Amino acid sequence: MVMTVTSQAQTTSQDPTTSQDPTDAAGPDPAADPLASAAQLTGIDPARWTVAPPQVAIVGAPGAGGRTLLEAMNDLDPDTPVRLWGGSEPACAGIVLIDPASAIGYTERAAVDAMRQSFGVVALVCTKIDAFWDWPSALREARDDLDPTGSMALFATSSAAALAGAPEESGIGELLAWVHAHTDADEQLRLERVRAGALDAALDRMAIDVERAASADPEEQIGPMRRERSRLLALRDQSRGDRVGVLRSGLTDLRAGVRTALDEGVNEISEAARSGDFGRAVRIDHHDRRGDDHRGHDDHEQVPAAERMAWMREQADALAIHLADVHHGQVAQLRTTALLGLEDSAPAGLPRPAPARVEIPEPPRRRRRAEDLIVVLLGISVGLGLGRLLGGLVADAADTGVPGLRWIGMPVMLVVGLVIAIWVIRVRRASAARAATQTWTEQALAAVRTGLERDLTDRTNAADAALTSRLNRLTARQDRRIAGQLAEIDNAARAVLARSERAARRRDEILPRAAQVKDALEEHREKLGPA
């Protein structure tokens, strides 16, 4: 039989350390008016109990034999005013069943507490004594647990004996006599008994609460507060210094990393330019911008200046994009590491600056100069000299007796001289073009390196300033939050100590008077009739 034991009087419990101190005002004389003294001490107005119907409530744990006991009582007295209690119905007395086969648990304790606060008068009834020979020990243990002051009536019953035709051996007759002693009294007497019993229970509850509050060790609550305070102080003292160190180390690694990436990219462009493969995209693009059209040019003069300029611009832009991606990724990683735990759970992503566009000098254009004229003259002279030498050999051969060679010597000399002159001119021009292209390439790569270095330096300095500023703001916010938490901990610790001191004073002031009021109240209850 499971009953809900919440009571209308359970809302009367108060915090023993914060309720109004009853000793602040002189209370009534306990001997003259015990109800008023108890009401003044507990803060509970006895007028809140307005009815005490001639009913007795019964409640017990499952298996305690409540329904069988009710059947036996009704068999002996069909008009028995005993009903199962649902937890809120008013009555003039209550019965809590004790099962000798089970230990006292939450159900019995809650039932006694709720009934004492609801109608004051409670009896403990041990059932099934015919089946358990050691029931006296079980009843004695139950009384020590549920009624340490010994103010409740005790009964031992055997429903089986009553239903078997042996009521005089069942103990139910004595229980019925106690029930009728309460239900047969006039209404005013029943109400007076309920009020006196409920105030007596309130006094016991108040004394327990006051003693528990005064006996509590404040260190149990302050100890965790001290540990949390130490943790917060360590976090405040170490957080910013450690994070600044991480930020500085990360920026140093960032500068070294992007510088390495810049050197690798410039070297790849330089290698491609020296090989003359102006149709090849370097590795930093991660793909070939021109597909499979790898056109090699052994003769740098045959590569138009516009194509060389476009190729260099394409590689410089690709390198700038690559370096911007590397820099952005490392800054984001550094931000996550340095600001871990300070930012929100999902901080906004970092802005991605546009890649730098460096200025590249225009490649040299072919112009006719005096040097070109000297090269032409040199080529002609070399060609004519070699032609004359070859012509002389032909003339010598003609003198040896080969007819017709002298007549063809002059044309052969001119043709050979012209061919040699053209070859010399082309070789000299190609060499000059190669030197000019190499010079321009070096100048262009120097411009690319300088421009990208300046851009990376600006980016790194901007990231340094932004991350340092954000770190300062976030650590300042963390310091303010920690300062607030420390203040809350200090206030809570002071409040615990203050409550402990108030509880000790209250115990010293209240318990002696509570004992006097309880003695007077018990005398008053004895005058009112059976408990």
Side-chain angles (χ1 to χ4, degrees):
M1 177 174 59
V2 179
M3 296 296 166
T4 304
V5 294
T6 55
S7 168
Q8 60 183 356
Q10 285 180 315
T11 59
T12 63
S13 61
Q14 302 178 10
D15 186 349
T17 65
T18 59
S19 59
Q20 181 182 4
D21 192 342
T23 62
D24 293 342
D29 183 10
D33 192 348
L35 292 182
S37 298
Q40 187 270 342
L41 198 60
T42 61
I44 299 176
D45 186 4
R48 67 186 304 168
W49 288 275
T50 57
V51 294
Q55 295 287 334
V56 174
I58 183 171
V59 68
R67 297 188 183 278
T68 307
L69 178 61
L70 279 177
E71 182 181 354
M73 294 174 72
N74 288 325
D75 186 65
L76 296 180
D77 183 1
D79 298 326
T80 300
V82 179
R83 299 292 182 269
L84 296 178
W85 192 46
S88 59
E89 302 88 345
C92 65
I95 295 175
V96 176
L97 302 180
I98 305 299
D99 186 357
S102 303
I104 298 301
Y106 170 79
T107 301
E108 290 83 4
R109 296 189 186 96
V112 169
D113 188 59
M115 283 189 165
R116 289 194 69 196
Q117 293 185 59
S118 296
F119 18 87
V121 181
V122 181
L124 300 179
V125 178
C126 182
T127 60
K128 301 185 287 187
I129 62 174
D130 57 298
F132 297 92
W133 62 270
D134 197 26
W135 64 264
S137 299
L139 185 57
R140 183 165 52 252
E141 292 176 0
R143 181 162 195 171
D144 292 341
D145 189 335
L146 303 175
D147 183 26
T149 61
S151 61
M152 300 181 194
L154 292 179
F155 297 95
T157 62
S158 173
S159 302
L163 294 174
E168 65 282 354
E169 299 177 1
S170 65
I172 294 180
E174 290 80 358
L175 178 59
L176 286 172
W178 179 86
V179 168
H180 284 289
H182 288 282
T183 58
D184 293 347
D186 61 79
E187 184 176 356
Q188 186 60 35
L189 180 58
R190 293 196 307 269
L191 186 58
E192 189 73 10
R193 289 174 176 171
V194 168
R195 289 174 175 174
L199 288 175
D200 189 21
L203 278 175
D204 291 342
R205 172 55 57 188
M206 183 198 70
I208 293 173
D209 291 342
V210 168
E211 183 63 34
R212 182 184 296 116
S215 302
D217 185 4
E219 186 61 29
E220 294 181 357
Q221 300 182 54
I222 296 178
M225 295 181 188
R226 287 200 185 101
R227 290 190 291 272
E228 178 64 14
R229 194 178 194 280
S230 299
R231 186 190 69 82
L232 291 174
L233 287 174
L235 177 63
R236 184 193 64 183
D237 296 339
Q238 298 176 3
S239 177
R240 190 180 188 281
D242 294 344
R243 293 177 187 276
V244 169
V246 170
L247 180 58
R248 291 289 167 260
S249 175
L251 289 172
T252 301
D253 295 340
L254 172 63
R255 291 184 176 92
V258 296
R259 181 59 184 267
T260 300
L262 173 61
D263 292 341
E264 292 176 353
V266 171
N267 291 337
E268 290 186 10
I269 297 176
S270 175
E271 181 182 352
R274 282 198 304 269
S275 67
D277 192 358
F278 292 105
R280 180 168 64 92
V282 296
R283 181 167 50 85
I284 58 174
D285 279 318
H286 303 290
H287 64 280
D288 189 357
R289 294 179 178 271
R290 299 177 180 269
D292 296 329
D293 185 18
H294 290 184
R295 294 179 295 126
H297 297 277
D298 294 331
D299 193 344
H300 287 250
E301 189 180 17
Q302 295 179 8
V303 181
E307 182 177 346
R308 292 201 300 269
M309 182 65 181
W311 180 86
M312 185 62 72
R313 166 59 59 194
E314 181 182 8
Q315 301 310 307
D317 291 343
L319 179 58
I321 294 174
H322 173 67
L323 293 177
D325 292 341
V326 171
H327 188 277
H328 181 80
Q330 293 189 9
V331 169
Q333 182 178 4
L334 178 58
R335 174 190 181 183
T336 301
T337 304
L339 305 182
L340 181 64
L342 294 179
E343 291 188 304
D344 299 333
S345 57
L350 291 173
R352 184 184 292 270
R357 185 173 179 83
V358 298
E359 295 295 331
I360 302 176
E362 292 290 336
R365 299 185 179 278
R366 183 67 177 166
R367 292 183 298 177
R368 302 294 180 181
R369 295 179 298 179
E371 180 182 343
D372 297 330
L373 180 58
I374 293 175
V375 170
V376 171
L377 293 177
L378 179 62
I380 293 174
S381 63
V382 172
L384 289 177
L386 294 176
R388 280 184 62 88
L389 176 63
L390 184 60
L393 295 176
V394 173
D396 293 339
D399 291 339
T400 60
V402 179
L405 287 180
R406 182 178 298 273
W407 300 107
I408 65 174
M410 183 59 68
V412 170
M413 178 187 67
L414 293 177
V415 171
V416 171
L418 181 60
V419 170
I420 294 174
I422 292 174
W423 177 79
V424 170
I425 292 172
R426 287 182 60 85
V427 169
R428 294 290 295 172
R429 282 184 175 179
S431 177
R434 184 179 299 107
T437 300
Q438 183 177 358
T439 302
W440 171 79
T441 301
E442 293 175 353
Q443 294 174 351
L445 290 177
V448 170
R449 181 187 295 275
T450 302
L452 292 181
E453 278 183 350
R454 186 182 301 110
D455 176 68
L456 291 175
T457 300
D458 294 341
R459 288 174 184 268
T460 304
N461 292 337
D464 187 359
L467 291 177
T468 301
S469 175
R470 184 160 184 80
L471 176 61
N472 291 335
R473 290 197 305 272
L474 292 176
T475 52
R477 185 178 70 179
Q478 183 189 59
D479 290 345
R480 290 193 299 271
R481 183 176 67 250
I482 290 177
Q485 292 175 336
L486 292 175
E488 291 178 359
I489 291 175
D490 293 340
N491 292 335
R494 284 192 290 267
V496 169
L497 293 175
R499 283 198 301 269
S500 179
E501 294 175 358
R502 287 197 304 269
R505 287 198 306 270
R506 182 175 173 83
R507 176 187 59 188
D508 297 339
E509 296 169 354
I510 295 300
L511 292 187
R513 178 170 173 78
Q516 296 177 0
V517 174
K518 184 170 179 62
D519 292 340
L521 194 59
E522 289 179 352
E523 293 179 1
H524 180 65
R525 294 185 67 187
E526 291 177 358
K527 296 177 183 178
L528 294 178

